[in-house]
Amino acid sequence: MQNLMTRFLLISLLSVTLFSCSSYKIDAAKKENSITEFKNPYFENPQTDYVYKAHIEVYGNKLGGIFITKRISDSVHRVVFTTEFGNKLMDFELSENDFKVNYIIDDLNRKIILNTLEKDFRILLKINHKSEEIFENNNFLIYKTKNGKNFDYFFFNKAENKLSRLVHASKSSEKVVFDFVSKNTTFAEGIIISHKNIKLKIELNQIIN
């Protein structure tokens, strides 16, 4: 299973240059930016172990495992991936600027896999953000932030005051979309990470003890 997962991930990630993306446009009007800083609330609590069952779809092939993360300092999260039987696959720590691998099986120790996971989970887990622009439509307040050469767009549902979607995009292309399902404003029970330039999707569903 581990060799199979590695093979599918490598195929998907190496195929990135074969796909193109359409322009990313926001169907919303720009509004005065009175809020310059905000927080992603879903992984903020250092007292909480966030445990999810992970489903990975790579070019039509489905894989499973367990995803666990915890905020261990103001800026650092620890992330662990295991098989469904509890065998550790990967253990790393990341912050806005650092990425430390504590453990990884040989089959997954590939730079292209590590780079993709690092980027995805740094976007997902980063707490504090500085807003460059704010947009608004009937349903959402949308906060635009700078992320290196790219941008992150946080879609907050106005009626429920919850983060519903996070889009990572270049100036012209949508790259990764994070969709959230949550019953309250501080915990996402379901998360779907969809890559737009490769056929890679990660679905996380909360495990309730």
Side-chain angles (χ1 to χ4, degrees):
M1 176 61 74
Q2 293 172 359
N3 287 330
L4 187 64
M5 182 165 73
T6 305
R7 185 160 62 252
F8 288 142
L9 285 172
L10 285 172
I11 289 172
S12 68
L13 296 173
L14 288 170
S15 300
V16 63
T17 56
L18 300 179
F19 294 85
S20 61
C21 303
S22 58
S23 295
Y24 178 65
K25 297 180 181 179
I26 300 176
D27 184 18
K30 185 176 177 180
K31 64 174 297 184
E32 184 177 349
N33 190 357
S34 60
I35 300 174
T36 58
E37 295 185 357
F38 67 96
K39 291 185 177 182
N40 178 345
Y42 288 142
F43 295 97
E44 181 185 4
N45 191 347
Q47 306 302 318
T48 301
D49 292 332
Y50 299 89
V51 184
Y52 295 87
K53 190 168 185 177
H55 299 276
I56 301 173
E57 293 185 16
V58 183
Y59 286 92
N61 298 282
K62 297 181 180 180
L63 309 164
I66 305 297
F67 167 82
I68 307 165
T69 187
K70 185 177 180 66
R71 187 180 183 186
I72 60 176
S73 74
D74 287 345
S75 60
V76 179
H77 282 83
R78 183 177 179 184
V79 174
V80 176
F81 279 101
T82 73
T83 67
E84 292 186 355
F85 298 102
N87 298 318
K88 188 182 289 188
L89 300 174
M90 188 180 301
D91 179 345
F92 58 86
E93 297 172 17
L94 80 167
S95 65
E96 185 172 358
N97 299 310
D98 296 317
F99 181 69
K100 176 186 176 183
V101 177
N102 297 319
Y103 174 83
I104 186 170
I105 63 170
D106 290 340
D107 288 341
L108 292 176
N109 194 11
R110 304 288 190 273
K111 185 175 182 180
I112 194 167
I113 293 176
L114 287 171
N115 285 347
T116 299
L117 292 175
E118 177 185 356
K119 290 176 182 177
D120 282 359
F121 288 103
R122 177 170 283 127
I123 294 169
L124 177 66
L125 299 174
K126 183 180 176 181
I127 302 298
N128 297 301
H129 297 269
K130 292 184 177 181
S131 175
E132 289 200 340
E133 294 180 290
I134 300 178
F135 302 86
E136 185 177 16
N137 59 26
N138 290 335
N139 299 314
F140 298 102
L141 280 174
I142 305 163
Y143 296 86
K144 177 183 177 181
T145 69
K146 193 81 167 61
N147 187 339
K149 296 180 179 179
N150 299 314
F151 302 92
D152 295 330
Y153 297 84
F154 294 80
F155 289 70
F156 281 85
N157 185 299
K158 291 166 60 176
E160 300 178 343
N161 192 31
K162 293 189 298 190
L163 177 61
S164 299
R165 170 171 281 202
L166 166 55
V167 175
H168 179 67
S170 67
K171 290 182 179 179
S172 60
S173 302
E174 189 176 90
K175 294 180 175 295
V176 189
V177 175
F178 302 76
D179 285 305
F180 303 98
V181 176
S182 60
K183 296 177 182 178
N184 58 59
T185 60
T186 60
F187 193 98
E189 288 82 12
I191 303 167
I192 297 176
I193 305 171
S194 304
H195 283 253
K196 298 303 181 179
N197 51 3
I198 53 178
K199 293 182 180 180
L200 171 62
K201 184 167 100 171
I202 301 172
E203 184 174 348
L204 305 175
N205 292 294
Q206 180 193 13
I207 295 177
I208 302 174
N209 295 326

PDB file of all heavy atoms in Angstrom, residues 51-54 64-68 80-86 89 204 207:
ATOM      1  N   VAL A  51      -7.816  15.462  14.857  1.00  0.00           N
ATOM      2  CA  VAL A  51      -7.630  14.106  14.321  1.00  0.00           C
ATOM      3  C   VAL A  51      -8.678  13.858  13.236  1.00  0.00           C
ATOM      4  O   VAL A  51      -9.881  14.002  13.474  1.00  0.00           O
ATOM      5  CB  VAL A  51      -7.760  13.043  15.427  1.00  0.00           C
ATOM      6  CG1 VAL A  51      -7.477  11.650  14.857  1.00  0.00           C
ATOM      7  CG2 VAL A  51      -6.804  13.347  16.579  1.00  0.00           C
ATOM      8  N   TYR A  52      -8.208  13.469  12.066  1.00  0.00           N
ATOM      9  CA  TYR A  52      -9.086  13.250  10.926  1.00  0.00           C
ATOM     10  C   TYR A  52      -8.750  11.937  10.224  1.00  0.00           C
ATOM     11  O   TYR A  52      -7.589  11.507  10.198  1.00  0.00           O
ATOM     12  CB  TYR A  52      -8.919  14.368   9.892  1.00  0.00           C
ATOM     13  CG  TYR A  52      -9.336  15.739  10.350  1.00  0.00           C
ATOM     14  CD1 TYR A  52      -8.443  16.565  11.027  1.00  0.00           C
ATOM     15  CD2 TYR A  52     -10.606  16.241  10.084  1.00  0.00           C
ATOM     16  CE1 TYR A  52      -8.812  17.833  11.443  1.00  0.00           C
ATOM     17  CE2 TYR A  52     -10.980  17.518  10.480  1.00  0.00           C
ATOM     18  CZ  TYR A  52     -10.083  18.303  11.162  1.00  0.00           C
ATOM     19  OH  TYR A  52     -10.449  19.563  11.558  1.00  0.00           O
ATOM     20  N   LYS A  53      -9.767  11.340   9.654  1.00  0.00           N
ATOM     21  CA  LYS A  53      -9.543  10.260   8.711  1.00  0.00           C
ATOM     22  C   LYS A  53      -9.283  10.880   7.344  1.00  0.00           C
ATOM     23  O   LYS A  53     -10.051  11.748   6.900  1.00  0.00           O
ATOM     24  CB  LYS A  53     -10.756   9.330   8.647  1.00  0.00           C
ATOM     25  CG  LYS A  53     -10.501   8.052   7.864  1.00  0.00           C
ATOM     26  CD  LYS A  53     -11.626   7.040   8.064  1.00  0.00           C
ATOM     27  CE  LYS A  53     -11.286   5.730   7.374  1.00  0.00           C
ATOM     28  NZ  LYS A  53     -12.346   4.708   7.609  1.00  0.00           N
ATOM     29  N   ALA A  54      -8.206  10.477   6.710  1.00  0.00           N
ATOM     30  CA  ALA A  54      -7.796  11.076   5.440  1.00  0.00           C
ATOM     31  C   ALA A  54      -8.101  10.156   4.276  1.00  0.00           C
ATOM     32  O   ALA A  54      -7.803   8.951   4.326  1.00  0.00           O
ATOM     33  CB  ALA A  54      -6.305  11.406   5.470  1.00  0.00           C
ATOM     34  N   GLY A  64      -6.178   5.653   1.872  1.00  0.00           N
ATOM     35  CA  GLY A  64      -6.685   6.078   3.163  1.00  0.00           C
ATOM     36  C   GLY A  64      -5.612   6.142   4.224  1.00  0.00           C
ATOM     37  O   GLY A  64      -4.536   5.536   4.089  1.00  0.00           O
ATOM     38  N   GLY A  65      -5.896   6.890   5.289  1.00  0.00           N
ATOM     39  CA  GLY A  65      -4.963   7.001   6.398  1.00  0.00           C
ATOM     40  C   GLY A  65      -5.533   7.899   7.479  1.00  0.00           C
ATOM     41  O   GLY A  65      -6.723   8.243   7.463  1.00  0.00           O
ATOM     42  N   ILE A  66      -4.699   8.286   8.434  1.00  0.00           N
ATOM     43  CA  ILE A  66      -5.092   9.150   9.538  1.00  0.00           C
ATOM     44  C   ILE A  66      -4.196  10.394   9.528  1.00  0.00           C
ATOM     45  O   ILE A  66      -2.973  10.285   9.381  1.00  0.00           O
ATOM     46  CB  ILE A  66      -4.956   8.436  10.895  1.00  0.00           C
ATOM     47  CG1 ILE A  66      -5.754   7.131  10.894  1.00  0.00           C
ATOM     48  CG2 ILE A  66      -5.438   9.354  12.025  1.00  0.00           C
ATOM     49  CD1 ILE A  66      -7.244   7.286  10.724  1.00  0.00           C
ATOM     50  N   PHE A  67      -4.826  11.557   9.686  1.00  0.00           N
ATOM     51  CA  PHE A  67      -4.120  12.831   9.746  1.00  0.00           C
ATOM     52  C   PHE A  67      -4.324  13.418  11.135  1.00  0.00           C
ATOM     53  O   PHE A  67      -5.454  13.532  11.612  1.00  0.00           O
ATOM     54  CB  PHE A  67      -4.682  13.785   8.683  1.00  0.00           C
ATOM     55  CG  PHE A  67      -4.259  15.215   8.822  1.00  0.00           C
ATOM     56  CD1 PHE A  67      -3.041  15.648   8.334  1.00  0.00           C
ATOM     57  CD2 PHE A  67      -5.086  16.154   9.433  1.00  0.00           C
ATOM     58  CE1 PHE A  67      -2.651  16.990   8.453  1.00  0.00           C
ATOM     59  CE2 PHE A  67      -4.718  17.479   9.556  1.00  0.00           C
ATOM     60  CZ  PHE A  67      -3.499  17.894   9.067  1.00  0.00           C
ATOM     61  N   ILE A  68      -3.222  13.777  11.788  1.00  0.00           N
ATOM     62  CA  ILE A  68      -3.275  14.359  13.131  1.00  0.00           C
ATOM     63  C   ILE A  68      -2.422  15.621  13.140  1.00  0.00           C
ATOM     64  O   ILE A  68      -1.287  15.616  12.650  1.00  0.00           O
ATOM     65  CB  ILE A  68      -2.729  13.392  14.196  1.00  0.00           C
ATOM     66  CG1 ILE A  68      -3.434  12.037  14.110  1.00  0.00           C
ATOM     67  CG2 ILE A  68      -2.888  13.976  15.600  1.00  0.00           C
ATOM     68  CD1 ILE A  68      -2.717  10.938  14.863  1.00  0.00           C
ATOM     69  N   VAL A  80       1.181  14.641  11.744  1.00  0.00           N
ATOM     70  CA  VAL A  80       1.528  13.222  11.654  1.00  0.00           C
ATOM     71  C   VAL A  80       0.535  12.539  10.723  1.00  0.00           C
ATOM     72  O   VAL A  80      -0.681  12.722  10.855  1.00  0.00           O
ATOM     73  CB  VAL A  80       1.503  12.539  13.042  1.00  0.00           C
ATOM     74  CG1 VAL A  80       1.777  11.038  12.903  1.00  0.00           C
ATOM     75  CG2 VAL A  80       2.532  13.176  13.972  1.00  0.00           C
ATOM     76  N   PHE A  81       1.059  11.769   9.777  1.00  0.00           N
ATOM     77  CA  PHE A  81       0.257  10.890   8.935  1.00  0.00           C
ATOM     78  C   PHE A  81       0.555   9.451   9.328  1.00  0.00           C
ATOM     79  O   PHE A  81       1.719   9.068   9.475  1.00  0.00           O
ATOM     80  CB  PHE A  81       0.607  11.080   7.458  1.00  0.00           C
ATOM     81  CG  PHE A  81      -0.042  12.256   6.801  1.00  0.00           C
ATOM     82  CD1 PHE A  81       0.661  13.430   6.589  1.00  0.00           C
ATOM     83  CD2 PHE A  81      -1.355  12.187   6.362  1.00  0.00           C
ATOM     84  CE1 PHE A  81       0.075  14.516   5.973  1.00  0.00           C
ATOM     85  CE2 PHE A  81      -1.956  13.269   5.745  1.00  0.00           C
ATOM     86  CZ  PHE A  81      -1.238  14.437   5.542  1.00  0.00           C
ATOM     87  N   THR A  82      -0.502   8.644   9.482  1.00  0.00           N
ATOM     88  CA  THR A  82      -0.324   7.213   9.742  1.00  0.00           C
ATOM     89  C   THR A  82      -1.216   6.420   8.800  1.00  0.00           C
ATOM     90  O   THR A  82      -2.118   6.968   8.150  1.00  0.00           O
ATOM     91  CB  THR A  82      -0.685   6.846  11.199  1.00  0.00           C
ATOM     92  OG1 THR A  82      -2.111   6.904  11.360  1.00  0.00           O
ATOM     93  CG2 THR A  82      -0.012   7.774  12.203  1.00  0.00           C
ATOM     94  N   THR A  83      -0.982   5.117   8.728  1.00  0.00           N
ATOM     95  CA  THR A  83      -1.927   4.246   8.047  1.00  0.00           C
ATOM     96  C   THR A  83      -3.150   4.084   8.936  1.00  0.00           C
ATOM     97  O   THR A  83      -3.162   4.500  10.103  1.00  0.00           O
ATOM     98  CB  THR A  83      -1.315   2.867   7.785  1.00  0.00           C
ATOM     99  OG1 THR A  83      -1.104   2.205   9.046  1.00  0.00           O
ATOM    100  CG2 THR A  83       0.003   2.977   7.043  1.00  0.00           C
ATOM    101  N   GLU A  84      -4.197   3.455   8.433  1.00  0.00           N
ATOM    102  CA  GLU A  84      -5.394   3.225   9.237  1.00  0.00           C
ATOM    103  C   GLU A  84      -5.121   2.233  10.363  1.00  0.00           C
ATOM    104  O   GLU A  84      -5.898   2.142  11.317  1.00  0.00           O
ATOM    105  CB  GLU A  84      -6.529   2.733   8.337  1.00  0.00           C
ATOM    106  CG  GLU A  84      -7.013   3.804   7.369  1.00  0.00           C
ATOM    107  CD  GLU A  84      -8.225   3.372   6.569  1.00  0.00           C
ATOM    108  OE1 GLU A  84      -8.634   2.200   6.693  1.00  0.00           O
ATOM    109  OE2 GLU A  84      -8.765   4.206   5.826  1.00  0.00           O
ATOM    110  N   PHE A  85      -4.019   1.495  10.261  1.00  0.00           N
ATOM    111  CA  PHE A  85      -3.641   0.546  11.312  1.00  0.00           C
ATOM    112  C   PHE A  85      -2.693   1.164  12.329  1.00  0.00           C
ATOM    113  O   PHE A  85      -2.225   0.494  13.241  1.00  0.00           O
ATOM    114  CB  PHE A  85      -3.005  -0.699  10.687  1.00  0.00           C
ATOM    115  CG  PHE A  85      -3.930  -1.451   9.765  1.00  0.00           C
ATOM    116  CD1 PHE A  85      -3.797  -1.322   8.395  1.00  0.00           C
ATOM    117  CD2 PHE A  85      -4.937  -2.247  10.281  1.00  0.00           C
ATOM    118  CE1 PHE A  85      -4.655  -2.006   7.543  1.00  0.00           C
ATOM    119  CE2 PHE A  85      -5.798  -2.932   9.437  1.00  0.00           C
ATOM    120  CZ  PHE A  85      -5.660  -2.815   8.060  1.00  0.00           C
ATOM    121  N   GLY A  86      -2.366   2.472  12.156  1.00  0.00           N
ATOM    122  CA  GLY A  86      -1.552   3.175  13.134  1.00  0.00           C
ATOM    123  C   GLY A  86      -0.074   3.202  12.853  1.00  0.00           C
ATOM    124  O   GLY A  86       0.703   3.714  13.668  1.00  0.00           O
ATOM    125  N   LEU A  89       3.635   7.080   8.869  1.00  0.00           N
ATOM    126  CA  LEU A  89       4.158   7.328   7.533  1.00  0.00           C
ATOM    127  C   LEU A  89       5.033   8.571   7.493  1.00  0.00           C
ATOM    128  O   LEU A  89       6.065   8.599   6.826  1.00  0.00           O
ATOM    129  CB  LEU A  89       3.006   7.489   6.529  1.00  0.00           C
ATOM    130  CG  LEU A  89       2.049   6.311   6.368  1.00  0.00           C
ATOM    131  CD1 LEU A  89       0.893   6.707   5.463  1.00  0.00           C
ATOM    132  CD2 LEU A  89       2.780   5.112   5.796  1.00  0.00           C
ATOM    133  N   LEU A 204     -10.469  15.300   4.461  1.00  0.00           N
ATOM    134  CA  LEU A 204     -10.259  15.055   5.887  1.00  0.00           C
ATOM    135  C   LEU A 204     -11.604  15.106   6.604  1.00  0.00           C
ATOM    136  O   LEU A 204     -12.343  16.085   6.473  1.00  0.00           O
ATOM    137  CB  LEU A 204      -9.316  16.105   6.484  1.00  0.00           C
ATOM    138  CG  LEU A 204      -7.943  16.270   5.822  1.00  0.00           C
ATOM    139  CD1 LEU A 204      -7.192  17.425   6.445  1.00  0.00           C
ATOM    140  CD2 LEU A 204      -7.132  14.980   5.923  1.00  0.00           C
ATOM    141  N   ILE A 207     -12.457  12.479  13.213  1.00  0.00           N
ATOM    142  CA  ILE A 207     -12.680  11.241  13.945  1.00  0.00           C
ATOM    143  C   ILE A 207     -13.140  11.606  15.340  1.00  0.00           C
ATOM    144  O   ILE A 207     -12.436  12.322  16.072  1.00  0.00           O
ATOM    145  CB  ILE A 207     -11.405  10.380  14.003  1.00  0.00           C
ATOM    146  CG1 ILE A 207     -11.015   9.917  12.600  1.00  0.00           C
ATOM    147  CG2 ILE A 207     -11.612   9.165  14.921  1.00  0.00           C
ATOM    148  CD1 ILE A 207      -9.722   9.129  12.550  1.00  0.00           C
TER     149      ILE A 207
END
